Amino acid sequence: MIPAAFDYHAPATLEEAIALLGSLGEEAKILSGGQSLLPLLKLRLGEVSDLVDIGRIEGLEYVREEGDRLLIGGRTTETALERSDVLRDRYPILLDTARVIADPLVRNRATVGGNLAHGDPANDHPATMLALDAEVVATGAAGERVIAVREFFTGFFGTALSTGEILTEIRVPIHQSGDGGAYLKLERKVGDFAAAGAAVQLRLGSDGTVTSAGIGLTNAGNKPVFAGEAGSFLVGQTPSDDAIAEAARLASTAASPSADRRGSVEYKTTMARVLAERAIRTALERAGGN
Ligand SMILES: Cc1cc2nc3c(=O)[nH]c(=O)nc-3n(C[C@H](O)[C@H](O)[C@H](O)COP(=O)(O)OP(=O)(O)OC[C@H]3O[C@@H](n4cnc5c(N)ncnc54)[C@H](O)[C@@H]3O)c2cc1C
């Protein structure tokens, strides 16, 4: 449980961090809450030449609505999400997600930016951000780049971040009347990673039909899964048991999980369907529907 040697840097500003990352090259890593990275280093599943700790940079921790977006700073912790009034009132899907990640000690340090940047298909925020059609802001030597989350996850633990880029902000479309969302996760015991998870964010029009819908799945493939066909199917529907069941079935067809100690392929795929169905129902309730 002792990591290989590395040099540690604690820049005070974003500019300093970006300059450091530029000079240190590909073997350096960003350290945020350390809740994924430090276990990997301690177990010697990875080695780094340098750690650039972004924890002392001010101004990267916030949750606020601005213009047509909810903005979340890249270093915002899960605990801060749990305590956010704006999330409780208007973005319950994000509160659902933060609450089921690990345990309070981990959530005090783990950051939303780190959760996404890590690219783990078992992490909970990716599915939720896919459902929400969020964007991330990557800041590097060339300035800021805005990346749609639906383009962000590129493969097993792979993301669209380039070496030296820091995920500084997450942008979520602002809550509108008729919006509802939910995240549900099946875990073997409290605090565990998901055996399966489903996130649903939808909007109901004034006539009761679904006008937009996004569905994301956790631990359902080698990268976070966006179940686009299932969401598209729901759009234009007046929600009924049959329509909800068919959307959930379509969501599960997007899943291609691997068997592991959390379950077989069949079990995880079935649970993805069951959780998607329940999440659609909760999202509809929260949107003011049936
Ligand atoms: C006991 C335990 C249980 C856990 N259970 C869950 C769970 O149930 N669900 C879940 O989703 N997660 C879980 N996790 C994982 C962890 O909570 C998340 O992955 C965490 O949010 C990572 O954030 P961090 O700030 O700690 O990132 P770090 O560990 O500091 O970094 C993780 C990776 O992301 C990179 N990185 C971090 N921040 C940035 C940034 N701003 N810009 C660019 N790159 C960055 C780092 O270089 C590193 O590669 C668990 C962890 C532990 C220790």
Side-chain angles (χ1 to χ4, degrees):
M1 294 295 275
I2 310 268
F6 53 79
D7 286 329
Y8 173 82
H9 311 263
T13 65
L14 196 56
E15 294 69 29
E16 213 184 302
I18 289 165
L20 261 173
L21 288 166
S23 66
L24 293 170
E26 290 195 359
E27 302 305 315
K29 274 261 182 202
I30 294 163
L31 175 69
S32 190
Q35 296 306 297
S36 287
L37 185 54
L38 293 185
L40 284 180
L41 297 181
K42 285 182 171 182
L43 293 167
R44 301 238 178 174
L45 294 172
E47 280 190 25
V48 293
S49 62
D50 299 80
L51 281 185
V52 177
D53 185 348
I54 57 172
R56 292 185 200 172
I57 300 174
E58 286 183 13
L60 291 178
E61 298 171 53
Y62 51 86
V63 182
R64 62 168 182 266
E65 289 178 316
E66 202 174 287
D68 60 355
R69 294 277 186 268
L70 170 78
L71 307 180
I72 302 173
R75 260 207 52 81
T76 305
T77 62
E78 304 300 341
T79 300
L81 292 189
E82 283 182 274
R83 291 181 181 164
S84 161
D85 292 338
V86 70
L87 294 198
R88 190 179 51 248
D89 294 344
R90 287 152 72 80
Y91 305 87
I93 186 174
L94 283 163
L95 199 57
D96 289 349
T97 311
R99 276 184 178 146
V100 294
I101 291 175
D103 53 54
L105 290 179
V106 171
R107 296 203 290 272
N108 282 341
R109 298 199 67 85
T111 67
V112 190
N115 194 291
L116 296 172
H118 194 50
D120 187 342
N123 273 2
D124 294 297
H125 278 297
T128 290
M129 296 302 177
L130 287 167
L132 282 164
D133 199 11
E135 296 170 330
V136 303
V137 179
T139 308
E144 283 186 357
R145 226 161 41 95
V146 179
I147 308 165
V149 162
R150 291 177 187 173
E151 310 291 322
F152 185 70
F153 301 105
T154 54
F156 192 54
F157 284 83
T159 74
L161 288 173
S162 302
T163 303
E165 279 185 325
I166 300 176
L167 196 166
T168 47
E169 187 171 86
I170 299 116
R171 298 177 177 170
V172 172
I174 201 159
H175 173 88
Q176 295 191 20
S177 162
D179 281 354
Y183 180 66
L184 290 175
K185 165 181 178 178
L186 176 72
E187 49 194 4
R188 291 175 308 169
K189 58 184 171 58
V190 172
D192 193 13
F193 285 93
V200 175
Q201 180 74 18
L202 49 78
R203 180 171 300 156
L204 281 179
S206 53
D207 63 354
T209 58
V210 177
T211 59
S212 70
I215 302 181
L217 302 175
T218 302
N219 222 353
N222 75 338
K223 62 177 187 171
V225 170
F226 174 57
E229 204 188 334
S232 300
F233 171 80
L234 270 182
V235 174
Q237 301 274 351
T238 304
S240 64
D241 285 348
D242 284 350
I244 293 168
E246 177 59 7
R249 189 194 68 76
L250 285 170
S252 71
T253 63
S256 53
S258 305
D260 59 20
R261 63 203 165 115
R262 294 190 175 85
S264 64
V265 169
E266 293 75 16
Y267 177 68
K268 290 179 175 185
T269 307
T270 303
M271 290 319 301
R273 179 180 58 71
V274 170
L275 294 171
E277 179 163 341
R278 291 181 190 169
I280 293 169
R281 289 187 187 283
T282 303
L284 284 167
E285 277 167 28
R286 288 174 173 172
N290 41 341

